[in-house]
Amino acid sequence: MAFSVFGILAVIIEALRPLLSFFLIWLVIDLIATALTLRQRRFAHARARQWAIRAGLVFAVGAFLAGPWLTQANFADFIGLVDWLLLALMALAVGFIGFILTLPVVSLIRS
């Protein structure tokens, strides 16, 4: 079976299509929160970074636990090192994205 980058992206887009409106609304909220906190010179202060890191960790753990379920697999199907490595890297990427997306809002709330 041959895989292509465009085929993989098409599957990801179809999987995330129900959440697309949520992501767009969150992006608008992030842009507004970033503009407000940059204007008030309190973007990414220490307390906000701590809370955003915690949120990123929650996202990463959630992605690690939900990753196999989203692909209709279970942890018993992970037999190779590559499987576990890709699951861990996916969870780290989701955690980093969670950190980036929560930092502006947390900077606005936790001042």
Side-chain angles (χ1 to χ4, degrees):
M1 174 182 241
F3 291 102
S4 70
V5 174
F6 294 114
I8 293 171
L9 288 176
V11 169
I12 291 172
I13 288 171
E14 287 300 319
L16 295 178
R17 188 179 302 266
L19 300 173
L20 190 58
S21 60
F22 171 75
F23 288 135
L24 290 175
I25 291 169
W26 190 263
L27 183 63
V28 169
I29 291 170
D30 263 359
L31 290 174
I32 292 169
T34 301
L36 289 173
T37 54
L38 285 174
R39 194 170 190 193
Q40 298 169 357
R41 298 178 191 256
R42 54 184 191 160
F43 181 75
H45 51 84
R47 283 178 42 194
R49 284 192 308 268
Q50 290 173 353
W51 280 95
I53 287 171
R54 290 178 187 146
L57 287 174
V58 168
F59 278 106
V61 169
F64 187 84
L65 295 175
W69 174 76
L70 291 173
T71 60
Q72 296 179 355
N74 56 28
F75 286 108
D77 296 331
F78 286 51
I79 55 175
L81 181 64
V82 173
D83 296 332
W84 289 103
L85 182 65
L86 289 176
L87 179 64
L89 288 174
M90 181 270 310
L92 286 174
V94 169
F96 181 72
I97 291 169
F99 169 76
I100 295 296
L101 290 178
T102 56
L103 185 60
V105 175
V106 173
S107 292
L108 187 63
I109 295 172
R110 291 295 214 173
S111 56

